[in-house]
Amino acid sequence: MAAELVEAKNMVMSFRVSDLQMLLGFVGRSKSGLKHELVTRALQLVQFDCSPEVFKKIKELYETRYAKKSSEPGQPQPQQHRSPEALSIHSSYDRGSTVARTSISTTNIDYPALYGKYLNGLGRLPPKVVKPEVRLVKLPFYTTLDELLKPTELVPQNNEKLQESPCIFALTPRQVELIRNSRELQPGVKSVQVVLRICYTDTSSPQEDQYPPNIAVKVNHSYCSVPGYYPSNKPGVEPKRPCRPINLTHLMYLSAATNRITVTWGNYGKSYSVGLYLVRQMTSAELLQRLKTIGIKHPELCKALVKEKLRLDPDSEIATTGVRVSLICPLVKMRLSVPCRAETCAHLQCFDAVFYLQMNEKKPTWMCPVCDKPAPYDQLIIDGLLSKILTECEDADEIEYLVDGSWCPIRAEKERSCSPQCPILVLGSSDVNGLLPTPNNNGENGKATADVVDLTLDSSSSEEEEEEDEEEDDDDDGPQPKRRCSYEKGLVSAC
């Protein structure tokens, strides 16, 4: 089928205007327009509606034309044995056409714009179309099984802002079997999927997924849902859209039938490329298990790293004798279970790998929560030393690494209780109205005894007597400084 499509396209490219009009009239399409418009219309017919009858008609027109040509005297023999590329280029000269007609059929036609609309399809693109060598970044949650369509540039067909770029492809029986036999991640979502990835057309480095404006994806006869925008809680900040692979599996024909995908996108100056992949989607639990298998750093290596961090720097005037590390995850404020960090991070503080993978599964950022620097999955390591410490130190939330690589727990100090276990002050006179005996300064065994205040005394009488005593003292000794505060009654701790 792929070879037939390529052959039909090349035959259409060699047709004259009258041949194109006959072909389009045969299928009920419009026959008006310039030659390049007729060619585009005929190629669309071949790409998407090439039934056996249409293919037979194309072959009939092609053979009729060269049969007539071979019967003319002085003309070369038919060119059935020439390559299709040579046919499309040299056919105008063989007909004795002018240079102007040749330039219309070969030079004036914008081949990238003409074939970019069809992407890769089932057949191989003509050699005139140079596909950009775009590379997409590897995604931890997706394992690529097959590349259905290499990254191919979306080429605008006209000056309109809204463009459409269709492509067709068919799955092999093996690929269909992989999808059908894969487990379900959730109802209706298979782990083996056909995904569409879009990125900038930039060959300098691997590109992250990036959607063009006004994107819409149609699979066969239904539109596919595209991730929406995340609302922003900050004023003046535009909402962001998470750009991730678009799952097309649920709308595809899981058979030998041909699938048609149409990408609608906004043409605002930037160039984008699209690719189709058969992938297996992983879960955070599977990535965690893989990390535990291949990503644990030996405790002795972690200990050597601690010594390296605390090694005395001769150029520094400050000597570091230890560094504290919290056993609480900065992401969820809970005790660490799987201490993890990126090898590129300069700190010893870890975060919990379980929660880190779960958060990136929902919203992939891959940023370290400690230093806010990139921490991709392939650079994560599990700290073997801190894992050992977590099992040995269960009653502390923080430890301190020492210069020799050893460690000690740091336990939170308990708050001191303010119990009144100190001498009691006497407020006011103790022998008021002669009700209480004058306390002796020295009690039994030479120990000082605490003064006691009778709380049954009338506070008003005590205050009056205190005021009279103060007035007498003022008259005798002159003005005295004011008291900062006066206590009515009660016991006050001397603490």
Side-chain angles (χ1 to χ4, degrees), residues 262-284:
T262 304
V263 179
T264 304
W265 51 286
N267 179 24
Y268 293 95
K270 292 185 178 180
S271 180
Y272 295 87
S273 293
V274 300
L276 282 171
Y277 302 89
L278 184 71
V279 300
R280 185 186 304 276
Q281 186 175 356
M282 312 290 286
T283 63
S284 59

Side-chain angles (χ1 to χ4, degrees), residues 217 219-220 222-225 247-253 259:
V217 180
V219 181
N220 295 320
S222 303
Y223 280 97
C224 183
S225 61
N247 185 11
L248 313 177
T249 316
H250 59 290
L251 298 177
M252 292 179 52
Y253 302 134
N259 293 278

Side-chain angles (χ1 to χ4, degrees), residues 219-343:
V219 181
N220 295 320
H221 303 290
S222 303
Y223 280 97
C224 183
S225 61
V226 179
Y229 288 89
Y230 284 144
S232 176
N233 297 328
K234 299 180 181 179
V237 178
E238 295 183 0
K240 294 182 179 180
R241 165 180 272 177
C243 298
R244 59 183 66 185
I246 303 172
N247 185 11
L248 313 177
T249 316
H250 59 290
L251 298 177
M252 292 179 52
Y253 302 134
L254 297 181
S255 63
T258 300
N259 293 278
R260 178 179 180 178
I261 298 174
T262 304
V263 179
T264 304
W265 51 286
N267 179 24
Y268 293 95
K270 292 185 178 180
S271 180
Y272 295 87
S273 293
V274 300
L276 282 171
Y277 302 89
L278 184 71
V279 300
R280 185 186 304 276
Q281 186 175 356
M282 312 290 286
T283 63
S284 59
E286 290 173 326
L287 290 188
L288 178 63
Q289 187 59 40
R290 182 190 296 176
L291 186 62
K292 288 181 177 179
T293 304
I294 63 175
I296 298 180
K297 193 167 186 176
H298 196 275
E300 291 300 323
L301 296 177
C302 297
K303 189 175 181 179
L305 180 63
V306 172
K307 291 181 180 179
E308 180 70 20
K309 294 287 184 184
L310 297 177
R311 188 176 60 181
L312 179 62
D313 186 0
D315 298 332
S316 176
E317 298 179 357
I318 301 175
T320 305
T321 59
V323 59
R324 291 189 174 189
V325 173
S326 175
L327 304 182
I328 303 299
C329 175
L331 286 171
V332 292
K333 308 304 179 185
M334 294 173 60
R335 186 178 175 86
L336 292 169
S337 60
V338 184
C340 172
R341 68 173 180 272
E343 280 194 302

Side-chain angles (χ1 to χ4, degrees), residues 458-468 486-488:
D458 186 8
S459 61
S460 61
S461 61
S462 299
E463 291 177 357
E464 290 175 358
E465 291 180 3
E466 289 179 3
E467 290 177 358
E468 291 177 358
S486 61
Y487 300 94
E488 294 182 358

Side-chain angles (χ1 to χ4, degrees), residues 57 89 97 102 115 121 149 267 367 439 468:
K57 183 65 175 178
I89 295 174
S97 58
T102 304
Y115 283 99
L149 171 65
N267 179 24
M367 299 296 290
E468 291 177 358

Side-chain angles (χ1 to χ4, degrees), residues 370-396:
V370 179
C371 61
D372 202 29
K373 293 181 179 179
Y377 176 77
D378 56 359
Q379 294 181 359
L380 296 181
I381 57 106
I382 295 177
D383 193 317
L385 178 59
L386 198 57
S387 298
K388 185 178 178 181
I389 292 173
L390 285 167
T391 59
E392 297 177 359
C393 181
E394 298 181 353
D395 57 346

Side-chain angles (χ1 to χ4, degrees), residues 49-319:
D49 299 310
C50 189
S51 61
E53 293 78 11
V54 173
F55 182 76
K56 184 178 179 181
K57 183 65 175 178
I58 294 174
K59 199 169 182 180
E60 179 185 337
L61 289 172
Y62 181 80
E63 292 175 351
T64 302
R65 173 185 160 209
Y66 283 105
K68 290 181 180 180
K69 187 175 177 181
S70 61
S71 62
E72 296 178 3
Q75 293 294 333
Q77 294 299 316
Q79 306 171 7
Q80 282 87 348
H81 300 291
R82 293 191 184 182
S83 65
E85 291 81 6
L87 276 175
S88 61
I89 295 174
H90 298 290
S91 59
S92 296
Y93 289 99
D94 294 336
R95 289 195 308 268
S97 58
T98 61
V99 177
R101 177 171 294 184
T102 304
S103 65
I104 291 176
S105 61
T106 58
T107 307
N108 287 354
I109 295 179
D110 187 355
Y111 283 93
L114 189 61
Y115 283 99
K117 189 171 182 179
Y118 307 106
L119 301 181
N120 210 351
L122 289 172
R124 182 177 299 174
L125 286 175
K128 286 184 177 293
V129 179
V130 180
K131 294 183 294 184
E133 297 179 358
V134 177
R135 294 168 296 157
L136 284 149
V137 296
K138 294 182 179 180
L139 300 177
F141 287 100
Y142 295 90
T143 302
T144 302
L145 303 178
D146 281 324
E147 188 178 56
L148 305 178
L149 171 65
K150 291 184 178 182
T152 307
E153 185 178 4
L154 295 174
V155 181
Q157 302 303 300
N158 47 48
N159 296 327
E160 298 294 331
K161 293 300 181 183
L162 204 60
Q163 300 284 329
E164 283 191 358
S165 298
C167 74
I168 59 174
F169 70 98
L171 297 172
T172 64
R174 183 187 67 85
Q175 294 167 347
V176 172
E177 196 69 17
L178 281 174
I179 296 174
R180 286 180 174 173
N181 294 337
S182 64
R183 62 185 179 86
E184 287 191 346
L185 300 176
Q186 50 185 294
V189 180
K190 293 282 190 178
S191 58
V192 176
Q193 307 167 0
V194 175
V195 297
L196 177 74
R197 298 186 65 182
I198 308 177
C199 67
Y200 288 129
T201 305
D202 186 356
T203 60
S204 60
S205 62
Q207 297 296 302
E208 296 183 351
D209 292 69
Q210 185 65 47
Y211 296 157
N214 310 116
I215 182 174
V217 180
K218 188 177 182 180
V219 181
N220 295 320
H221 303 290
S222 303
Y223 280 97
C224 183
S225 61
V226 179
Y229 288 89
Y230 284 144
S232 176
N233 297 328
K234 299 180 181 179
V237 178
E238 295 183 0
K240 294 182 179 180
R241 165 180 272 177
C243 298
R244 59 183 66 185
I246 303 172
N247 185 11
L248 313 177
T249 316
H250 59 290
L251 298 177
M252 292 179 52
Y253 302 134
L254 297 181
S255 63
T258 300
N259 293 278
R260 178 179 180 178
I261 298 174
T262 304
V263 179
T264 304
W265 51 286
N267 179 24
Y268 293 95
K270 292 185 178 180
S271 180
Y272 295 87
S273 293
V274 300
L276 282 171
Y277 302 89
L278 184 71
V279 300
R280 185 186 304 276
Q281 186 175 356
M282 312 290 286
T283 63
S284 59
E286 290 173 326
L287 290 188
L288 178 63
Q289 187 59 40
R290 182 190 296 176
L291 186 62
K292 288 181 177 179
T293 304
I294 63 175
I296 298 180
K297 193 167 186 176
H298 196 275
E300 291 300 323
L301 296 177
C302 297
K303 189 175 181 179
L305 180 63
V306 172
K307 291 181 180 179
E308 180 70 20
K309 294 287 184 184
L310 297 177
R311 188 176 60 181
L312 179 62
D313 186 0
D315 298 332
S316 176
E317 298 179 357
I318 301 175

